[in-house]
Amino acid sequence: MAFQRQLIASAVLTALAAWSLSATAQTTSAGPTDPAALASTPSAAPAPAPLQPIVVTATPFASQEDVQVLAPAKVIAGDELRNKLGNSLGDTLSGELGVSASAFGAGASRPIIRGMEGPRVMILQNGMAVSDVSTVSNDHAVATEAATARQIEILRGPAALLYGSGAIGGLVNVVNDRIPTELVGKPTGTVEARYGTVDGEKNSSFSLDTSAGQIGLHLDGNYRDTDNYKIPGNARQGDTASASGRLPNSFTHETSLGAGISYVANWGYIGLSAATLDDHYGIPTDEMSFIDLHQNRYDLDTVVNNPFAGIEKFRFRMGYTDYTHIEKEQDGTPATVFANRALQTRWELTHAPLAGWHGSFGIQTEQSNYSALSADTGAAELTPPTRSTSFAGFLVEERQFGQVLVSGGLRGESVKRSPDSGSGLPGRDFSLLSWSTGALWSFQPGYGLGLTYSFAQRAPTVEELYSNGPHESTATFDIGDNQLKKETSHNIELSLQKTEGLVRWKGNVFRNKVNNYIYGRTNGQVDDTGAADPTGEFTQRFWSQADATIRGVEAEVSYNWNGEGLSSRVFADTSRGTLDSLGNLPLQPATRYGVEMAYKTGPWASGVKVLRAQKQDRLASFENYETPSYTQLDANLSYTQRLNGVKLTWFALARNLLNQDIRLSTSVLRESVPLGGRNFIVGVRTAF
């Protein structure tokens, strides 16, 4: 608690310092200072037109997605995001290049980037960690809502230099602009309602922004309710004794509400936000358990422009998360209570060009208290109460050398795991070092050749170190190893792209060598005490280590994509992960390729997408189920009109039109949990 009070005190002092610095910043900033004049400045203008370049906010220089050096980026926004929106973050992003999903039913599905999942893929909300427990197990939902997002950013490759060792495989940043950073001249926002046939989905969401003088205000919310979803055949392929028609216990019910307020002036802004999320969803396994999830989140964000000579921007962010979920048995009896309370801070300074170099440096801290306890006795059911603290410093720089843009960065981090003294388990300290260097050569206008090398380290998580008990929802008996070493990743990537003209394309080739890769190795059936039992309800899973190599290729070619008239896109991705001398990594994605066609004319927009996934038979030594190939056919149609100045879009979406039995090779439930069958979604959304 002393450390927590110290961080809160630091946050208050930093915020007050930012406020006092504003006087200096105002004397050096151009533009009016009174609220009436401020409302007429460019900062109060409506949002940029959709055709303007999309900016990646999770990078140090907020640059466009086609000029990234440290990590290739993809940004999903606007109508594209709304058309891809699913019940979970993994479902929403699973069609992107190099991205699959863990697919643990409709309620819980986490993005998997280039075959890396869990703690190697960091989930951010507005640039700060979500701080849920979705990294612990695939049955745990990600505690952020895509339906209220303005855009979602994917950074493939190690982004550890900026956000921590958990991003060794990449990161996803959900941007909802909950803390206003600019003033709007009049209320603006979006409202959407939709209905889906495969699960009786009823979903409505909204996002509103307004201002009063120099005060910016924001409000957003979402409501989603779905029944058990329909499946094309049997839950277990070819097993007529298993469920058919609908997948039992695959329902979801989720609500979220968030609000933010900020003071915006020429010198920058300072703002606060608060949000709450409740999620109730079923686990489609034989145990028929379900999860009740609740999270409260509070954030502070302040930016001071030109605070003093040589510094372009000072930014301070702080986030506090209070997360709890209860895993309940079929009759509603609470079994295990998972809790995580986390406080994180981030100080960042962007300096003016120095000897041609432009960059950012800063400090990041985090303290979390995690536990997985028996709801009945309060004893450590799976993982003992454990406090984790981290302290990191980072530096990222870039410079233009003629036609070559060069970037480099360095991050040092200290991580400490301290289990409860009554557990008898040892604490662990890890010193982590990460660095990256890369270059993008624009050898012709609109063409770029990039090469990046990254060295990144990750500390073992609490559950990998200290788990020792049954996990009802996954039907596994997890056993950690408190002597695990840190992971070390050596990633090299070559990219080639064309970013101008009607025809555009890009390709990425990568190879990631990971020393001391941590993975779950299964070893037969046990009872609830961990004793061997061929008829036991739990599969024993050990956290183990071995050196691993992941390599792959991603490519796409587009014509007039998102333009008027006819447009098209062809894409493919493949990756393979192996454990040195031990065969394949588990849960590896299938090779995929596909084509999209779209047509826009006036108020009408339409599209069709065909995705083909090949059979995945590259199994780990302890896996025995090969996922079959499938073809997924999706389509969309929309009509947009204006009524009294309000943009109104009527839309219809069709997913899995062929009603294919789709099983993802990246899901631990692939044998018994297929994706939903044919689904028609209709809805309307407004923007004003």
Side-chain angles (χ1 to χ4, degrees), residues 91-112:
D91 187 19
T92 300
L93 303 180
S94 61
E96 301 305 316
L97 275 183
V99 183
S100 3
S102 58
F104 207 97
S109 185
R110 208 174 192 272
I112 296 173

Side-chain angles (χ1 to χ4, degrees), residues 231-578:
I231 55 177
N234 293 97
R236 292 185 178 274
Q237 199 169 40
D239 181 3
T240 56
S242 63
S244 63
R246 291 184 181 272
L247 184 68
N249 216 41
S250 59
F251 66 89
T252 70
H253 181 78
E254 186 260 356
T255 58
S256 67
L257 184 66
I261 183 171
S262 62
Y263 178 84
V264 183
N266 290 336
W267 56 265
Y269 65 86
I270 181 170
L272 297 165
S273 70
T276 184
L277 182 146
D278 286 283
D279 199 358
H280 174 73
Y281 60 93
I283 304 299
T285 59
D286 294 339
E287 287 72 23
M288 301 288 284
S289 60
F290 59 92
I291 287 178
D292 282 337
L293 182 159
H294 179 76
Q295 176 182 269
N296 290 326
R297 181 184 176 99
Y298 308 93
D299 286 277
L300 179 148
D301 188 5
T302 183
V303 165
V304 178
N305 298 316
N306 305 308
F308 42 84
I311 299 298
E312 296 179 343
K313 183 172 72 174
F314 163 75
R315 186 171 193 178
F316 171 76
R317 286 181 281 186
M318 181 179 71
Y320 176 74
T321 302
D322 186 352
Y323 173 99
T324 302
H325 89 236
I326 304 174
E327 296 189 355
K328 297 182 177 181
E329 298 175 1
Q330 185 176 2
D331 62 1
T333 302
T336 308
V337 179
F338 287 80
N340 190 49
R341 291 166 179 80
L343 179 66
Q344 51 186 320
T345 67
R346 184 177 176 90
W347 292 263
E348 188 171 352
L349 292 165
T350 301
H351 68 79
L354 181 64
W357 290 93
H358 185 213
S360 296
F361 58 95
I363 294 172
Q364 183 174 340
T365 71
E366 182 173 3
Q367 175 183 290
S368 66
N369 292 279
Y370 167 80
S371 62
L373 307 178
S374 168
D376 185 30
T377 65
E381 178 81 2
L382 180 62
T383 310
T386 302
R387 171 174 292 186
S388 296
T389 59
S390 68
F391 183 90
F394 58 88
L395 170 69
V396 180
E397 299 286 333
E398 73 173 14
R399 181 180 177 180
Q400 191 80 38
F401 291 91
Q403 295 177 313
V404 180
L405 177 65
V406 175
S407 287
L410 180 69
R411 181 186 182 95
E413 185 169 2
S414 174
V415 176
K416 185 176 183 179
R417 313 283 191 213
S418 302
D420 183 74
S421 58
S423 68
L425 295 169
R428 295 293 305 277
D429 295 324
F430 300 92
S431 296
L432 310 175
L433 177 68
S434 302
W435 59 272
S436 178
T437 183
L440 180 67
W441 175 33
S442 300
F443 56 90
Q444 290 282 348
Y447 291 83
L449 175 65
L451 180 65
T452 303
Y453 178 81
S454 298
F455 174 93
Q457 295 184 318
R458 180 182 79 87
T461 61
V462 172
E463 61 276 7
E464 291 168 341
L465 289 169
Y466 304 124
S467 292
N468 188 19
H471 192 173
E472 291 284 344
S473 295
T474 57
T476 57
F477 193 100
D478 295 341
I479 300 175
D481 181 352
N482 57 50
Q483 297 303 310
L484 290 175
K485 302 175 182 178
K486 59 188 176 186
E487 285 185 353
T488 300
S489 166
H490 305 262
N491 187 81
I492 187 167
E493 180 166 345
L494 180 67
S495 62
L496 185 63
Q497 61 183 9
K498 180 179 183 291
T499 59
E500 295 181 3
L502 286 177
V503 178
R504 304 186 182 195
W505 45 261
K506 63 180 177 182
N508 307 313
V509 181
F510 63 91
R511 183 180 185 273
N512 196 353
K513 176 71 174 178
V514 186
N515 297 332
N516 300 316
Y517 185 92
I518 302 171
Y519 68 101
R521 176 173 55 86
T522 58
N523 186 34
Q525 300 304 114
V526 297
D527 61 20
D528 59 3
T529 67
D533 182 355
T535 62
E537 62 175 313
F538 298 100
T539 301
Q540 194 174 57
R541 180 170 62 173
F542 292 91
W543 293 112
S544 307
Q545 282 188 305
D547 293 345
T549 302
I550 302 173
R551 54 194 182 277
V553 180
E554 304 156 352
E556 70 174 9
V557 180
S558 65
Y559 167 77
N560 190 36
W561 196 242
N562 292 326
E564 285 289 320
L566 182 67
S567 61
S568 60
R569 172 177 171 260
V570 179
F571 58 92
D573 61 23
T574 185
S575 67
R576 181 170 184 178
T578 57

Side-chain angles (χ1 to χ4, degrees), residues 676-687:
R678 186 182 294 113
N679 188 18
F680 295 101
I681 301 170
V682 294
V684 60
R685 57 178 171 265
T686 65

